[in-house]
């Protein structure tokens, strides 16, 4: 939770960063600039890992169905064979079987590494979406990393590396669809606006209307030209503003 004074205003540290009180009672200042630098470092690291994943995928193609434990046992067994064993017809078949198990074990280990890299890459893509979000920057009173902690469980990455929002994180079919573009998954900012609007303590993380500037986000609340539904909104800013007001 954020540290506030007796008037309910956020308290900042000596560097001007808002102070967050952690679960163990510690007070930490959050720097948006530091968060951006962290994302940049992850971006560079992820680019390197993507190359490693592509290389691993190529190496894995000749293999399938490995058991690492049996493979290690097979290696030890092969080491124990004597020269006489190697020329024994019965042992030749046994050696072939053991060598297959070794190959299977290597494939299993490589598959495990590839899956780990895949999860890291998906985590990075979701984090980048929060970092690039116009909604987070303009509408929320918390930095992108905090917004990610609150809402990232509702976002996944599909097979095309697109970020998709889910109503239920445990159900991959519970996709959040766009109200502005019927039949299409909601954009990241549109979905995030819905989650924020449904959050019980949204008033604590949304910027006050006085900080939104220009009256753009409130234009739909009055006047004959104001959108009456999300489908009438013509820009992403109007859609987000409409979702905040309902």
């Amino acid at each position: 939770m954020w540290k506030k004074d007796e008037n309910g205003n956020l308290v900042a540290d000596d560097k001007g960063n808002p102070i967050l009180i952690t679960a163990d009672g510690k007070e930490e200042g959050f720097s948006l600039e530091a968060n951006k630098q962290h994302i940049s470092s992850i971006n560079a690291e992820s680019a390197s890992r993507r190359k490693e994943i592509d290389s691993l995928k190529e190496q894995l193609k000749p293999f399938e169905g490995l058991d690492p434990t049996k493979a290690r046992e097979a290696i030890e067994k092969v080491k124990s064979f004597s020269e006489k064993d190697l020329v024994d017809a019965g042992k030749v078949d046994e050696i072939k079987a053991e060598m297959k198990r070794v190959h299977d074990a290597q494939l299993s280990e490589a598959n495990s590494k590839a899956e780990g890299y895949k999860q890291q890459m998906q985590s990075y893509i979701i984090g980048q979406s929060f970092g690039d979000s116009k909604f987070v920057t303009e509408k929320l009173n918390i930095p992108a990393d905090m917004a990610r902690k609150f809402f990232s469980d509702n976002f996944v990455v599909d097979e095309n590396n697109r970020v998709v929002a889910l109503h239920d994180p445990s159900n991959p079919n519970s996709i959040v669809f766009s109200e502005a573009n019927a039949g299409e998954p909601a954009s990241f900012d549109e979905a995030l606006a819905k989650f924020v609007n449904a959050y019980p303590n949204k008033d604590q993380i949304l910027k006050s209307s006085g900080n939104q500037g220009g009256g753009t986000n409130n234009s739909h609340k009055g006047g004959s030209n104001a959108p009456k539904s999300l489908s009438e909104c013509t820009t992403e800013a109007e859609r987000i503003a409409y979702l905040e007001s309902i």
Side-chain angles (χ1 to χ4, degrees):
M1 61 180 294
W2 294 103
K3 183 176 182 180
K4 298 182 179 180
D5 60 22
E6 62 276 6
N7 296 318
N9 298 316
L10 292 175
V11 177
D13 60 14
D14 54 1
K15 296 181 180 179
N17 298 316
I19 296 176
L20 180 72
I21 302 176
T22 63
D24 57 3
K26 294 181 178 180
E27 296 183 359
E28 299 178 354
F30 280 87
S31 169
L32 184 59
E33 182 62 29
N35 181 62
K36 290 181 178 179
Q37 293 177 0
H38 179 63
I39 290 175
S40 297
S41 66
I42 293 177
N43 188 20
E45 182 179 351
S46 296
S48 175
R49 287 180 177 173
R50 185 186 291 275
K51 292 181 180 179
E52 293 182 21
I53 291 174
D54 292 340
S55 176
L56 280 172
K57 287 181 178 178
E58 290 299 319
Q59 297 178 37
L60 293 176
K61 288 181 180 179
F63 306 96
E64 59 183 23
L66 295 178
D67 185 334
T69 301
K70 290 183 178 180
R72 291 188 180 91
E73 294 175 353
I75 292 173
E76 293 302 320
K77 190 166 186 177
V78 170
K79 289 180 180 179
S80 69
F81 288 150
S82 65
E83 187 175 333
K84 180 178 179 299
D85 292 328
L86 295 175
V87 297
D88 189 300
K91 291 295 183 182
V92 170
D93 291 338
E94 187 175 350
I95 291 173
K96 288 180 179 180
E98 294 298 334
M99 293 305 297
K100 182 181 183 302
R101 293 191 185 98
V102 170
H103 290 163
D104 289 344
Q106 292 173 341
L107 178 58
S108 179
E109 183 177 356
N111 275 334
S112 179
K113 289 182 178 180
E115 181 62 25
Y117 286 136
K118 177 182 177 181
Q119 293 178 1
Q120 291 176 8
M121 180 60 67
Q122 291 181 344
S123 177
Y124 164 74
I125 292 173
I126 292 174
Q128 189 69 41
S129 296
F130 277 93
D132 294 341
S133 171
K134 185 177 181 180
F135 178 81
V136 171
T137 301
E138 297 183 354
K139 307 298 180 183
L140 297 187
N141 202 29
I142 56 176
D145 56 346
M146 288 300 300
R148 179 180 179 181
K149 290 180 181 178
F150 273 108
F151 302 106
S152 63
D153 288 346
N154 287 95
F155 293 94
V156 297
V157 178
D158 66 11
E159 64 276 5
N160 296 315
N161 287 332
R162 297 178 304 178
V163 177
V164 178
L166 302 178
H167 289 289
D168 179 2
S170 65
N171 182 3
N173 295 320
S174 62
I175 296 174
V176 178
F177 285 97
S178 173
E179 295 184 27
N181 301 306
E184 294 293 327
S187 68
F188 180 86
D189 275 1
E190 182 181 353
L192 183 58
K194 288 186 177 183
F195 295 140
V196 170
N197 187 64
Y199 180 56
N201 298 316
K202 64 179 181 180
D203 291 340
Q204 297 183 23
I205 63 174
L206 279 171
K207 291 180 179 178
S208 63
S209 59
N211 292 332
Q212 294 174 1
T216 301
N217 297 328
N218 297 317
S219 61
H220 63 282
K221 293 183 179 179
S224 59
N225 296 325
K228 302 299 189 300
S229 66
L230 186 61
S231 61
E232 294 183 15
C233 299
T234 58
T235 66
E236 188 71 12
E238 288 183 353
R239 287 192 285 270
I240 293 172
Y242 178 84
L243 289 169
E244 285 182 352
S245 68
I246 59 176

Tab-separated table of all heavy atoms in Angstrom, residues 159-217:
chain	number	residue	atom	x	y	z
A	159	GLU	N	0.017	-17.868	-29.334
A	159	GLU	CA	1.046	-18.489	-30.185
A	159	GLU	C	1.668	-17.523	-31.170
A	159	GLU	O	2.732	-17.796	-31.743
A	159	GLU	CB	0.443	-19.681	-30.953
A	159	GLU	CG	-0.657	-19.328	-31.931
A	159	GLU	CD	-2.027	-19.209	-31.259
A	159	GLU	OE1	-2.088	-19.310	-30.005
A	159	GLU	OE2	-3.025	-19.021	-31.983
A	160	ASN	N	1.017	-16.371	-31.382
A	160	ASN	CA	1.563	-15.360	-32.293
A	160	ASN	C	2.265	-14.227	-31.535
A	160	ASN	O	2.501	-13.151	-32.093
A	160	ASN	CB	0.438	-14.781	-33.160
A	160	ASN	CG	-0.193	-15.820	-34.065
A	160	ASN	OD1	0.510	-16.603	-34.691
A	160	ASN	ND2	-1.517	-15.843	-34.128
A	161	ASN	N	2.566	-14.474	-30.258
A	161	ASN	CA	3.237	-13.501	-29.392
A	161	ASN	C	2.419	-12.221	-29.217
A	161	ASN	O	2.984	-11.141	-28.999
A	161	ASN	CB	4.636	-13.150	-29.931
A	161	ASN	CG	5.621	-14.281	-29.715
A	161	ASN	OD1	5.483	-15.072	-28.782
A	161	ASN	ND2	6.614	-14.380	-30.563
A	162	ARG	N	1.094	-12.352	-29.261
A	162	ARG	CA	0.210	-11.227	-28.983
A	162	ARG	C	-0.291	-11.329	-27.545
A	162	ARG	O	-0.607	-12.424	-27.069
A	162	ARG	CB	-0.999	-11.219	-29.932
A	162	ARG	CG	-0.658	-11.045	-31.395
A	162	ARG	CD	-1.927	-11.090	-32.239
A	162	ARG	NE	-2.673	-12.334	-31.993
A	162	ARG	CZ	-3.830	-12.620	-32.573
A	162	ARG	NH1	-4.401	-11.758	-33.394
A	162	ARG	NH2	-4.428	-13.774	-32.313
A	163	VAL	N	-0.378	-10.195	-26.868
A	163	VAL	CA	-0.883	-10.173	-25.499
A	163	VAL	C	-2.414	-10.203	-25.543
A	163	VAL	O	-3.037	-9.377	-26.202
A	163	VAL	CB	-0.401	-8.917	-24.737
A	163	VAL	CG1	-1.004	-8.885	-23.338
A	163	VAL	CG2	1.120	-8.912	-24.656
A	164	VAL	N	-2.992	-11.198	-24.854
A	164	VAL	CA	-4.445	-11.385	-24.828
A	164	VAL	C	-4.922	-11.321	-23.385
A	164	VAL	O	-4.295	-11.898	-22.487
A	164	VAL	CB	-4.840	-12.737	-25.458
A	164	VAL	CG1	-6.357	-12.946	-25.374
A	164	VAL	CG2	-4.378	-12.809	-26.905
A	165	ALA	N	-6.034	-10.632	-23.145
A	165	ALA	CA	-6.592	-10.513	-21.796
A	165	ALA	C	-7.624	-11.609	-21.555
A	165	ALA	O	-8.379	-11.983	-22.453
A	165	ALA	CB	-7.244	-9.141	-21.610
A	166	LEU	N	-7.646	-12.138	-20.312
A	166	LEU	CA	-8.587	-13.189	-19.929
A	166	LEU	C	-9.417	-12.738	-18.734
A	166	LEU	O	-8.890	-12.161	-17.787
A	166	LEU	CB	-7.845	-14.483	-19.562
A	166	LEU	CG	-6.935	-15.110	-20.629
A	166	LEU	CD1	-6.254	-16.343	-20.063
A	166	LEU	CD2	-7.738	-15.486	-21.866
A	167	HIS	N	-10.717	-13.032	-18.762
A	167	HIS	CA	-11.560	-12.761	-17.599
A	167	HIS	C	-11.131	-13.664	-16.438
A	167	HIS	O	-11.079	-13.236	-15.283
A	167	HIS	CB	-13.030	-13.024	-17.926
A	167	HIS	CG	-13.637	-12.023	-18.859
A	167	HIS	ND1	-13.908	-10.725	-18.482
A	167	HIS	CD2	-14.015	-12.129	-20.168
A	167	HIS	CE1	-14.442	-10.078	-19.494
A	167	HIS	NE2	-14.509	-10.894	-20.540
A	168	ASP	N	-10.833	-14.931	-16.765
A	168	ASP	CA	-10.424	-15.925	-15.761
A	168	ASP	C	-9.048	-16.452	-16.151
A	168	ASP	O	-8.918	-17.169	-17.151
A	168	ASP	CB	-11.438	-17.070	-15.720
A	168	ASP	CG	-11.064	-18.153	-14.719
A	168	ASP	OD1	-10.031	-18.007	-14.026
A	168	ASP	OD2	-11.814	-19.147	-14.619
A	169	PRO	N	-7.994	-16.127	-15.392
A	169	PRO	CA	-6.632	-16.556	-15.750
A	169	PRO	C	-6.479	-18.070	-15.881
A	169	PRO	O	-5.593	-18.539	-16.598
A	169	PRO	CB	-5.779	-16.018	-14.589
A	169	PRO	CG	-6.567	-14.873	-14.048
A	169	PRO	CD	-8.008	-15.264	-14.193
A	170	SER	N	-7.349	-18.833	-15.205
A	170	SER	CA	-7.256	-20.295	-15.264
A	170	SER	C	-7.970	-20.876	-16.472
A	170	SER	O	-7.883	-22.072	-16.737
A	170	SER	CB	-7.830	-20.913	-13.982
A	170	SER	OG	-9.221	-20.651	-13.864
A	171	ASN	N	-8.689	-20.038	-17.219
A	171	ASN	CA	-9.447	-20.504	-18.380
A	171	ASN	C	-8.969	-19.785	-19.629
A	171	ASN	O	-9.322	-18.626	-19.860
A	171	ASN	CB	-10.943	-20.253	-18.166
A	171	ASN	CG	-11.782	-20.765	-19.336
A	171	ASN	OD1	-11.273	-21.351	-20.286
A	171	ASN	ND2	-13.077	-20.531	-19.272
A	172	PRO	N	-8.183	-20.446	-20.474
A	172	PRO	CA	-7.621	-19.787	-21.664
A	172	PRO	C	-8.678	-19.384	-22.690
A	172	PRO	O	-8.377	-18.637	-23.621
A	172	PRO	CB	-6.665	-20.845	-22.235
A	172	PRO	CG	-7.175	-22.149	-21.708
A	172	PRO	CD	-7.729	-21.848	-20.343
A	173	ASN	N	-9.910	-19.882	-22.513
A	173	ASN	CA	-10.967	-19.538	-23.461
A	173	ASN	C	-11.795	-18.333	-23.014
A	173	ASN	O	-12.701	-17.907	-23.722
A	173	ASN	CB	-11.895	-20.733	-23.666
A	173	ASN	CG	-11.192	-21.902	-24.326
A	173	ASN	OD1	-10.397	-21.720	-25.240
A	173	ASN	ND2	-11.457	-23.107	-23.856
A	174	SER	N	-11.478	-17.775	-21.836
A	174	SER	CA	-12.264	-16.652	-21.307
A	174	SER	C	-11.693	-15.316	-21.791
A	174	SER	O	-11.410	-14.418	-21.001
A	174	SER	CB	-12.303	-16.697	-19.784
A	174	SER	OG	-10.993	-16.561	-19.239
A	175	ILE	N	-11.531	-15.198	-23.087
A	175	ILE	CA	-10.907	-14.012	-23.690
A	175	ILE	C	-11.788	-12.771	-23.502
A	175	ILE	O	-13.012	-12.840	-23.621
A	175	ILE	CB	-10.649	-14.247	-25.183
A	175	ILE	CG1	-9.636	-15.398	-25.363
A	175	ILE	CG2	-10.135	-12.986	-25.870
A	175	ILE	CD1	-9.435	-15.798	-26.813
A	176	VAL	N	-11.155	-11.660	-23.187
A	176	VAL	CA	-11.867	-10.383	-23.094
A	176	VAL	C	-11.967	-9.800	-24.505
A	176	VAL	O	-10.957	-9.470	-25.120
A	176	VAL	CB	-11.125	-9.389	-22.179
A	176	VAL	CG1	-11.854	-8.052	-22.147
A	176	VAL	CG2	-10.995	-9.967	-20.775
A	177	PHE	N	-13.192	-9.700	-25.003
A	177	PHE	CA	-13.386	-9.195	-26.359
A	177	PHE	C	-13.663	-7.694	-26.346
A	177	PHE	O	-14.167	-7.141	-25.372
A	177	PHE	CB	-14.530	-9.933	-27.046
A	177	PHE	CG	-14.175	-11.326	-27.473
A	177	PHE	CD1	-14.500	-12.416	-26.689
A	177	PHE	CD2	-13.485	-11.537	-28.651
A	177	PHE	CE1	-14.159	-13.703	-27.063
A	177	PHE	CE2	-13.131	-12.821	-29.054
A	177	PHE	CZ	-13.468	-13.910	-28.246
A	178	SER	N	-13.324	-7.071	-27.456
A	178	SER	CA	-13.482	-5.624	-27.589
A	178	SER	C	-14.951	-5.264	-27.787
A	178	SER	O	-15.674	-5.943	-28.520
A	178	SER	CB	-12.658	-5.119	-28.773
A	178	SER	OG	-12.911	-3.755	-29.018
A	179	GLU	N	-15.381	-4.203	-27.139
A	179	GLU	CA	-16.725	-3.693	-27.358
A	179	GLU	C	-16.749	-2.737	-28.546
A	179	GLU	O	-17.806	-2.506	-29.135
A	179	GLU	CB	-17.223	-2.980	-26.097
A	179	GLU	CG	-17.384	-3.911	-24.911
A	179	GLU	CD	-17.967	-3.201	-23.705
A	179	GLU	OE1	-18.701	-2.211	-23.893
A	179	GLU	OE2	-17.682	-3.620	-22.574
A	180	ALA	N	-15.606	-2.195	-28.887
A	180	ALA	CA	-15.528	-1.266	-30.018
A	180	ALA	C	-15.363	-2.013	-31.338
A	180	ALA	O	-15.871	-1.591	-32.371
A	180	ALA	CB	-14.378	-0.284	-29.826
A	181	ASN	N	-14.638	-3.139	-31.322
A	181	ASN	CA	-14.397	-3.945	-32.518
A	181	ASN	C	-14.969	-5.343	-32.281
A	181	ASN	O	-14.281	-6.231	-31.767
A	181	ASN	CB	-12.896	-4.023	-32.835
A	181	ASN	CG	-12.297	-2.651	-33.052
A	181	ASN	OD1	-12.765	-1.873	-33.865
A	181	ASN	ND2	-11.245	-2.344	-32.299
A	182	ALA	N	-16.214	-5.520	-32.618
A	182	ALA	CA	-16.929	-6.769	-32.329
A	182	ALA	C	-16.192	-7.975	-32.897
A	182	ALA	O	-15.739	-7.963	-34.046
A	182	ALA	CB	-18.340	-6.701	-32.905
A	183	GLY	N	-16.079	-9.017	-32.072
A	183	GLY	CA	-15.447	-10.257	-32.498
A	183	GLY	C	-13.944	-10.271	-32.362
A	183	GLY	O	-13.318	-11.315	-32.547
A	184	GLU	N	-13.337	-9.139	-32.018
A	184	GLU	CA	-11.885	-9.043	-31.867
A	184	GLU	C	-11.515	-8.982	-30.387
A	184	GLU	O	-12.247	-8.402	-29.579
A	184	GLU	CB	-11.353	-7.790	-32.561
A	184	GLU	CG	-11.508	-7.794	-34.072
A	184	GLU	CD	-10.634	-8.839	-34.736
A	184	GLU	OE1	-9.530	-9.100	-34.204
A	184	GLU	OE2	-11.053	-9.404	-35.754
A	185	PRO	N	-10.378	-9.597	-30.019
A	185	PRO	CA	-9.919	-9.464	-28.619
A	185	PRO	C	-9.679	-7.993	-28.291
A	185	PRO	O	-9.266	-7.213	-29.149
A	185	PRO	CB	-8.601	-10.260	-28.607
A	185	PRO	CG	-8.721	-11.226	-29.739
A	185	PRO	CD	-9.492	-10.483	-30.804
A	186	ALA	N	-9.956	-7.621	-27.068
A	186	ALA	CA	-9.745	-6.236	-26.646
A	186	ALA	C	-8.265	-5.888	-26.710
A	186	ALA	O	-7.397	-6.736	-26.464
A	186	ALA	CB	-10.267	-6.033	-25.224
A	187	SER	N	-7.967	-4.645	-27.041
A	187	SER	CA	-6.578	-4.194	-27.011
A	187	SER	C	-6.090	-4.203	-25.564
A	187	SER	O	-6.885	-4.287	-24.620
A	187	SER	CB	-6.466	-2.781	-27.589
A	187	SER	OG	-7.101	-1.841	-26.726
A	188	PHE	N	-4.779	-4.105	-25.386
A	188	PHE	CA	-4.220	-4.151	-24.031
A	188	PHE	C	-4.821	-3.043	-23.167
A	188	PHE	O	-5.290	-3.294	-22.053
A	188	PHE	CB	-2.697	-4.006	-24.082
A	188	PHE	CG	-2.060	-4.048	-22.728
A	188	PHE	CD1	-1.718	-5.251	-22.134
A	188	PHE	CD2	-1.795	-2.871	-22.025
A	188	PHE	CE1	-1.144	-5.297	-20.877
A	188	PHE	CE2	-1.225	-2.915	-20.765
A	188	PHE	CZ	-0.897	-4.130	-20.190
A	189	ASP	N	-4.835	-1.808	-23.666
A	189	ASP	CA	-5.336	-0.685	-22.868
A	189	ASP	C	-6.841	-0.781	-22.619
A	189	ASP	O	-7.325	-0.422	-21.545
A	189	ASP	CB	-4.997	0.631	-23.544
A	189	ASP	CG	-3.590	1.104	-23.185
A	189	ASP	OD1	-2.889	0.405	-22.447
A	189	ASP	OD2	-3.216	2.188	-23.646
A	190	GLU	N	-7.583	-1.275	-23.595
A	190	GLU	CA	-9.030	-1.404	-23.400
A	190	GLU	C	-9.324	-2.434	-22.312
A	190	GLU	O	-10.166	-2.214	-21.436
A	190	GLU	CB	-9.707	-1.821	-24.710
A	190	GLU	CG	-11.229	-1.919	-24.593
A	190	GLU	CD	-11.912	-2.345	-25.887
A	190	GLU	OE1	-11.202	-2.428	-26.927
A	190	GLU	OE2	-13.125	-2.599	-25.863
A	191	ALA	N	-8.619	-3.577	-22.372
A	191	ALA	CA	-8.826	-4.614	-21.359
A	191	ALA	C	-8.375	-4.138	-19.987
A	191	ALA	O	-9.061	-4.357	-18.976
A	191	ALA	CB	-8.071	-5.881	-21.758
A	192	LEU	N	-7.223	-3.473	-19.938
A	192	LEU	CA	-6.712	-2.985	-18.649
A	192	LEU	C	-7.676	-1.979	-18.037
A	192	LEU	O	-7.902	-1.979	-16.814
A	192	LEU	CB	-5.330	-2.358	-18.839
A	192	LEU	CG	-4.646	-1.858	-17.553
A	192	LEU	CD1	-4.494	-2.987	-16.545
A	192	LEU	CD2	-3.286	-1.252	-17.881
A	193	ALA	N	-8.266	-1.130	-18.866
A	193	ALA	CA	-9.239	-0.164	-18.358
A	193	ALA	C	-10.428	-0.875	-17.721
A	193	ALA	O	-10.952	-0.441	-16.691
A	193	ALA	CB	-9.714	0.749	-19.493
A	194	LYS	N	-10.856	-1.995	-18.310
A	194	LYS	CA	-11.966	-2.762	-17.738
A	194	LYS	C	-11.582	-3.349	-16.384
A	194	LYS	O	-12.359	-3.305	-15.427
A	194	LYS	CB	-12.368	-3.891	-18.690
A	194	LYS	CG	-13.080	-3.426	-19.946
A	194	LYS	CD	-13.567	-4.624	-20.753
A	194	LYS	CE	-14.346	-4.184	-21.975
A	194	LYS	NZ	-14.881	-5.335	-22.728
A	195	PHE	N	-10.373	-3.907	-16.296
A	195	PHE	CA	-9.932	-4.503	-15.036
A	195	PHE	C	-9.808	-3.445	-13.946
A	195	PHE	O	-10.182	-3.676	-12.792
A	195	PHE	CB	-8.594	-5.232	-15.226
A	195	PHE	CG	-8.664	-6.420	-16.141
A	195	PHE	CD1	-7.634	-6.675	-17.040
A	195	PHE	CD2	-9.752	-7.263	-16.124
A	195	PHE	CE1	-7.705	-7.770	-17.891
A	195	PHE	CE2	-9.832	-8.357	-16.974
A	195	PHE	CZ	-8.809	-8.611	-17.860
A	196	VAL	N	-9.266	-2.291	-14.315
A	196	VAL	CA	-9.117	-1.211	-13.341
A	196	VAL	C	-10.484	-0.732	-12.868
A	196	VAL	O	-10.705	-0.504	-11.682
A	196	VAL	CB	-8.313	-0.037	-13.941
A	196	VAL	CG1	-8.373	1.182	-13.032
A	196	VAL	CG2	-6.858	-0.447	-14.157
A	197	ASN	N	-11.423	-0.600	-13.815
A	197	ASN	CA	-12.753	-0.125	-13.454
A	197	ASN	C	-13.462	-1.093	-12.505
A	197	ASN	O	-14.268	-0.688	-11.669
A	197	ASN	CB	-13.599	0.067	-14.715
A	197	ASN	CG	-14.927	0.724	-14.429
A	197	ASN	OD1	-14.978	1.864	-13.993
A	197	ASN	ND2	-16.022	0.012	-14.669
A	198	ALA	N	-13.150	-2.406	-12.626
A	198	ALA	CA	-13.769	-3.421	-11.767
A	198	ALA	C	-13.031	-3.577	-10.435
A	198	ALA	O	-13.517	-4.258	-9.536
A	198	ALA	CB	-13.806	-4.769	-12.490
A	199	TYR	N	-11.865	-2.963	-10.305
A	199	TYR	CA	-11.062	-3.084	-9.086
A	199	TYR	C	-11.737	-2.300	-7.952
A	199	TYR	O	-12.030	-1.108	-8.107
A	199	TYR	CB	-9.663	-2.541	-9.358
A	199	TYR	CG	-8.721	-2.598	-8.188
A	199	TYR	CD1	-8.458	-3.796	-7.538
A	199	TYR	CD2	-8.080	-1.441	-7.728
A	199	TYR	CE1	-7.582	-3.852	-6.467
A	199	TYR	CE2	-7.203	-1.489	-6.661
A	199	TYR	CZ	-6.961	-2.713	-6.035
A	199	TYR	OH	-6.100	-2.757	-4.965
A	200	PRO	N	-12.012	-2.918	-6.810
A	200	PRO	CA	-12.736	-2.249	-5.719
A	200	PRO	C	-12.080	-0.957	-5.243
A	200	PRO	O	-12.765	-0.017	-4.849
A	200	PRO	CB	-12.750	-3.310	-4.611
A	200	PRO	CG	-12.597	-4.608	-5.324
A	200	PRO	CD	-11.715	-4.319	-6.492
A	201	ASN	N	-10.755	-0.892	-5.274
A	201	ASN	CA	-10.046	0.293	-4.790
A	201	ASN	C	-9.491	1.124	-5.942
A	201	ASN	O	-8.410	1.706	-5.845
A	201	ASN	CB	-8.910	-0.126	-3.850
A	201	ASN	CG	-9.417	-0.850	-2.630
A	201	ASN	OD1	-10.393	-0.442	-2.014
A	201	ASN	ND2	-8.770	-1.944	-2.262
A	202	LYS	N	-10.247	1.181	-7.030
A	202	LYS	CA	-9.733	1.871	-8.221
A	202	LYS	C	-9.449	3.350	-7.956
A	202	LYS	O	-8.543	3.921	-8.577
A	202	LYS	CB	-10.724	1.730	-9.372
A	202	LYS	CG	-12.076	2.391	-9.130
A	202	LYS	CD	-12.986	2.217	-10.330
A	202	LYS	CE	-14.324	2.898	-10.102
A	202	LYS	NZ	-15.224	2.723	-11.265
A	203	ASP	N	-10.206	3.978	-7.044
A	203	ASP	CA	-9.991	5.398	-6.778
A	203	ASP	C	-8.610	5.685	-6.207
A	203	ASP	O	-8.105	6.804	-6.303
A	203	ASP	CB	-11.056	5.920	-5.804
A	203	ASP	CG	-12.440	5.958	-6.441
A	203	ASP	OD1	-12.501	5.961	-7.687
A	203	ASP	OD2	-13.432	5.964	-5.709
A	204	GLN	N	-7.988	4.651	-5.603
A	204	GLN	CA	-6.653	4.839	-5.014
A	204	GLN	C	-5.542	4.751	-6.050
A	204	GLN	O	-4.420	5.169	-5.786
A	204	GLN	CB	-6.423	3.806	-3.908
A	204	GLN	CG	-7.380	3.936	-2.735
A	204	GLN	CD	-7.072	2.937	-1.643
A	204	GLN	OE1	-5.945	2.451	-1.541
A	204	GLN	NE2	-8.053	2.630	-0.819
A	205	ILE	N	-5.841	4.162	-7.197
A	205	ILE	CA	-4.786	4.008	-8.206
A	205	ILE	C	-5.043	4.848	-9.456
A	205	ILE	O	-4.143	5.003	-10.282
A	205	ILE	CB	-4.605	2.530	-8.601
A	205	ILE	CG1	-5.879	1.973	-9.247
A	205	ILE	CG2	-4.200	1.696	-7.409
A	205	ILE	CD1	-5.711	0.550	-9.782
A	206	LEU	N	-6.247	5.378	-9.601
A	206	LEU	CA	-6.535	6.254	-10.741
A	206	LEU	C	-6.152	7.694	-10.413
A	206	LEU	O	-6.346	8.152	-9.285
A	206	LEU	CB	-8.023	6.205	-11.080
A	206	LEU	CG	-8.511	5.020	-11.910
A	206	LEU	CD1	-10.030	5.002	-11.957
A	206	LEU	CD2	-7.942	5.071	-13.322
A	207	LYS	N	-5.612	8.396	-11.388
A	207	LYS	CA	-5.326	9.803	-11.208
A	207	LYS	C	-6.650	10.566	-11.091
A	207	LYS	O	-7.656	10.172	-11.675
A	207	LYS	CB	-4.528	10.353	-12.394
A	207	LYS	CG	-3.110	9.819	-12.471
A	207	LYS	CD	-2.389	10.416	-13.661
A	207	LYS	CE	-0.943	9.907	-13.742
A	207	LYS	NZ	-0.237	10.439	-14.905
A	208	SER	N	-6.632	11.647	-10.336
A	208	SER	CA	-7.837	12.455	-10.202
A	208	SER	C	-8.150	13.121	-11.528
A	208	SER	O	-7.283	13.312	-12.371
A	208	SER	CB	-7.650	13.517	-9.115
A	208	SER	OG	-6.619	14.414	-9.484
A	209	SER	N	-9.422	13.490	-11.723
A	209	SER	CA	-9.829	14.084	-12.994
A	209	SER	C	-9.082	15.365	-13.292
A	209	SER	O	-8.880	15.739	-14.433
A	209	SER	CB	-11.340	14.356	-12.977
A	209	SER	OG	-11.671	15.222	-11.909
A	210	GLY	N	-8.629	16.055	-12.229
A	210	GLY	CA	-7.893	17.302	-12.424
A	210	GLY	C	-6.546	17.100	-13.051
A	210	GLY	O	-5.968	18.004	-13.618
A	211	ASN	N	-6.007	15.847	-12.980
A	211	ASN	CA	-4.692	15.568	-13.563
A	211	ASN	C	-4.793	15.003	-14.960
A	211	ASN	O	-3.801	14.704	-15.585
A	211	ASN	CB	-3.937	14.559	-12.675
A	211	ASN	CG	-3.560	15.152	-11.345
A	211	ASN	OD1	-3.379	16.355	-11.245
A	211	ASN	ND2	-3.463	14.308	-10.326
A	212	GLN	N	-6.016	14.829	-15.447
A	212	GLN	CA	-6.149	14.191	-16.751
A	212	GLN	C	-6.019	15.194	-17.877
A	212	GLN	O	-5.735	14.838	-18.994
A	212	GLN	CB	-7.490	13.455	-16.832
A	212	GLN	CG	-7.527	12.272	-15.852
A	212	GLN	CD	-8.894	11.625	-15.801
A	212	GLN	OE1	-9.800	12.037	-16.508
A	212	GLN	NE2	-9.039	10.633	-14.967
A	213	GLY	N	-6.272	16.471	-17.595
A	213	GLY	CA	-5.981	17.532	-18.555
A	213	GLY	C	-6.933	17.610	-19.724
A	213	GLY	O	-7.354	16.618	-20.283
A	214	GLY	N	-7.290	18.819	-20.065
A	214	GLY	CA	-7.966	19.093	-21.325
A	214	GLY	C	-9.414	18.675	-21.398
A	214	GLY	O	-10.093	18.956	-22.370
A	215	GLY	N	-9.898	17.917	-20.436
A	215	GLY	CA	-11.275	17.490	-20.454
A	215	GLY	C	-11.572	16.422	-21.482
A	215	GLY	O	-12.731	16.072	-21.712
A	216	THR	N	-10.558	15.869	-22.161
A	216	THR	CA	-10.780	14.893	-23.220
A	216	THR	C	-11.481	13.653	-22.698
A	216	THR	O	-12.407	13.140	-23.292
A	216	THR	CB	-9.432	14.481	-23.855
A	216	THR	OG1	-8.814	15.641	-24.370
A	216	THR	CG2	-9.654	13.467	-24.961
A	217	ASN	N	-11.021	13.168	-21.536
A	217	ASN	CA	-11.538	11.912	-21.026
A	217	ASN	C	-12.941	12.035	-20.469
A	217	ASN	O	-13.585	11.033	-20.194
A	217	ASN	CB	-10.613	11.376	-19.915
A	217	ASN	CG	-9.256	11.084	-20.460
A	217	ASN	OD1	-9.124	10.708	-21.610
A	217	ASN	ND2	-8.227	11.261	-19.640
